[in-house]
Amino acid sequence: MIIRIMGEGQLLVDDANVDALNKLDASLEAAVEKHDEAAFAAALQALLAKAREVGTALPADALEPSGLILPREGATLDEVRDLLGDGGLIPG
Amino acid sequence: MGVMKRVSTIFRAKANKALDKYEDPRETLDYSYQTQLELLQKVRRGVADVATSRKRVELQMNQLQQSSDKLDRQARDALAAGREDLAREALTRKAGVQTQLTDLQGQYANLQGEEEKLTAASQRLQAKVDAFRVRKETIKATYTAAEAQTRINEVFTGISEEMSDVGLAIQRAEDKTEQMKARAGAIDELMASGALSDALGGAPHDDIQAELDRMGAGSGVDAELARMKSELAGSSAPKQIAGSPGPGDAVPQSGPSFSKEQSGSGEA
C-alpha cells in the first residue's frame, strides 16, 4: 500500500505492516478525540517512526494516489483537527 | 475510520471535485498542468523568501554579536578604570543583547529547517510535474475522451494529492516568514530607537563609550597638568627633580615627566 507522510513524500508499505500502522493510528485518533495534546504528540511520533521503519520511498516521479495519509512531523493537534474538518484547510 | 484513512479520503474527494468540473477529462489534464506550473513557481518563491528571511536574521545575529563583544570590552575598560558602576551597566546591556541573540539563533535554525523542507518539496513536485506532462501528452494522443477517463483519474488524483500537500507546506512557510519579518522588524526598530544602538559599533550616542572617553581625556589632562607643573618646577628649581643626573640638563629633565604621562594614560 502507498502511504504519504505529509511534507516528506510517499512510501510503499507491505500490506502485512499496515495492521501495525492502523493500531498506532487508533491511538492517534483517540488522542485527537480526547483533545489530549501530549498523547497526540506521542502517538503521531510513534506512527511516523513506524511508517518510516516499514516503508520504502516511492520514486519522486510517481503519480499514484496514497491509500493512507499521515500528518506531517511536528503537526499540532489543532492542525490535524482542521485537516479532518471539512477539508477547507487544503489549498488549491 | 482512522486519521490516516480520513485524511486520504478528504484529499481524494477534493481531487474528484476538480475532475468533475470538466466535460472532457483531457481538458482537466491541461488545466491541472497549468496549476502545477503555477504552484511550482510559488514553491520556488517560497524557498527564496525563506532564504531572504534567514539571511536577514544572520545579519542581525552578526550585529548583535558585535554589540556583545563591544560591551564586553567596555566593561573591562570600565573596570580597569575603577568604574564598577559603568562596567555593571555595560554587562547588563550585554545580557540583554545576548537574550536577543539566543532568540535569533533559534529562529535561524528554524528557518534553515524550513528552507531545506521546501527545497525538497520543490524537487519532488518538479519530478511529478515533469512526469505528469509526459503522461498527459500520451493520454491525449492515445485515447478518446471516454477511454481517457479512468487513466486520467489516477494520475490526476496522484498529482492533486502532492499539490495539496505542497500547498499546505507553502502556507506554513509563508506564515513563518511573515512572523520572522515582524520579529526582525521589531529588532531593527529596537536598534534604531537606541535601546540597542548604544551597544552597536559606530552608534552616534554611545553613553558608556562617551563616559570612558571622558575619563580617558580627563586622565590625559591630569597627566599634562602634571607634566607642565614639573616643567615649571624644573625651570625654577631643577634640583627638585628626583633622579636628575645633573642640574640644568634639559634632556633628562623631560625624561621622567614623559614616562609619568605615559603611565597615567595607560591606567585609563
Side-chain angles (χ1 to χ4, degrees), chain A residues 5-85:
Chain A
I5 297 179
M6 289 179 70
E8 286 179 38
Q10 291 172 298
L11 300 168
L12 191 62
V13 174
D14 199 279
D15 286 347
N17 287 316
V18 173
D19 266 357
L21 291 178
N22 279 330
K23 266 185 200 145
L24 292 167
D25 188 33
S27 315
L28 182 70
E29 195 176 27
V32 171
E33 266 153 32
K34 274 187 256 164
H35 224 293
D36 183 341
E37 199 79 56
F40 166 82
L44 179 57
Q45 202 50 52
L47 182 56
L48 289 169
K50 187 73 186 173
R52 290 185 193 122
E53 181 200 320
V54 298
T56 47
L58 217 60
D61 61 357
L63 287 173
E64 288 158 81
S66 311
L68 299 170
I69 299 181
L70 280 73
R72 71 176 180 99
E73 164 123 60
T76 63
L77 182 50
D78 284 340
E79 199 177 320
V80 171
R81 287 179 81 98
D82 280 346
L83 204 57
L84 293 173

Side-chain angles (χ1 to χ4, degrees), chain A residues 4 7-8 29 60 62 66, chain B residues 1 12 124 128 161-162 165:
Chain A
R4 166 181 297 271
E8 286 179 38
E29 195 176 27
S66 311
Chain B
M1 192 166 32
R12 240 170 240 260
R124 278 198 304 272
K128 288 201 193 313
E161 182 187 305
E162 185 74 29
D165 189 1

